[in-house]
Amino acid sequence: GIDETEVVHTNIKGEKTVTYSQNGIIQKSIRTSFKKKLKQKVVLTKSFLNGDPVKAQEEIFDEYENIISLKEFTYDLQKKSFTPDKTILYFYDQAGMLSKENIKKGGATRTIEYIYQYDDETKGNWVKQIISPENLFTTRIISYYENDENKEP
């Protein structure tokens, strides 16, 4: 058979919602809103199975488009509502680099820290990222090319 996918865009009181349906059954909805005083963008994504809600995710971004909060929800059939399952708070240093994550799941809280080593070039790119307490690291090799305008003929 032929499946019909419908994408509906609505804008109500500054909240933009995109709803995806297949054969008339809702699959996903994404609502984007703005908290102007806090200069934040909030994106709420709800997933459905056979038209019934299953899970949701709320992402909050700061004015620089950095994610500052992520909340994951599961749908509770008895309560007929979404209940929080996991929350991650993101923190950034003055250069805008991710410096820490606080992860709360159930009654447990875990902190992940990010440490960067920078090259000695004026560009200030990081060449090593260390994630603790796991002691995972990523190393980058960056090659800089001279600008053609600076070359003499």
Side-chain angles (χ1 to χ4, degrees):
I2 297 175
D3 287 327
E4 179 182 302
T5 301
E6 180 180 32
V7 180
V8 177
H9 295 263
T10 56
N11 189 346
I12 300 172
K13 295 183 181 179
E15 291 186 348
K16 297 177 183 178
T17 303
V18 181
T19 305
Y20 298 87
S21 299
Q22 187 172 26
N23 300 325
I25 299 171
I26 188 169
Q27 301 294 314
K28 184 195 300 192
S29 99
I30 303 169
R31 185 186 74 209
T32 303
S33 60
F34 296 90
K35 295 180 180 179
K36 291 181 182 176
K37 288 182 182 177
L38 299 173
K39 298 180 181 178
Q40 294 177 341
K41 177 173 79 170
V42 180
V43 179
L44 178 64
T45 304
K46 295 180 182 177
S47 298
F48 299 82
L49 180 63
N50 297 324
D52 296 323
V54 178
K55 62 182 180 176
Q57 175 176 289
E58 180 188 67
E59 300 167 292
I60 301 177
F61 299 88
D62 66 12
E63 61 189 307
Y64 305 107
E65 288 293 319
N66 293 322
I67 186 167
I68 57 173
S69 173
L70 171 72
K71 292 181 184 175
E72 295 177 354
F73 301 86
T74 52
Y75 192 76
D76 187 327
L77 291 171
Q78 274 111 16
K79 294 181 182 177
K80 296 191 184 291
S81 65
F82 287 101
T83 58
D85 184 43
K86 179 178 172 182
T87 301
I88 305 173
L89 299 177
Y90 299 89
F91 300 90
Y92 298 87
D93 62 18
Q94 291 178 343
M97 300 295 293
L98 180 63
S99 61
K100 182 169 66 169
E101 293 178 16
N102 283 343
I103 303 167
K104 293 181 183 179
K105 186 169 182 167
T109 301
R110 189 171 86 115
T111 300
I112 298 174
E113 293 189 11
Y114 296 83
I115 302 161
Y116 300 93
Q117 293 178 353
Y118 294 89
D119 62 13
D120 58 332
E121 296 288 327
T122 57
K123 308 279 189 273
N125 289 307
W126 66 267
V127 292
K128 185 177 276 190
Q129 176 192 56
I130 303 165
I131 302 172
S132 68
E134 288 88 354
N135 287 328
L136 299 173
F137 65 92
T138 302
T139 302
R140 303 191 308 181
I141 298 174
I142 300 174
S143 299
Y144 295 101
Y145 296 93
E146 289 186 34
N147 190 347
D148 289 339
E149 295 174 4
N150 294 338
K151 291 184 179 180
E152 293 182 22

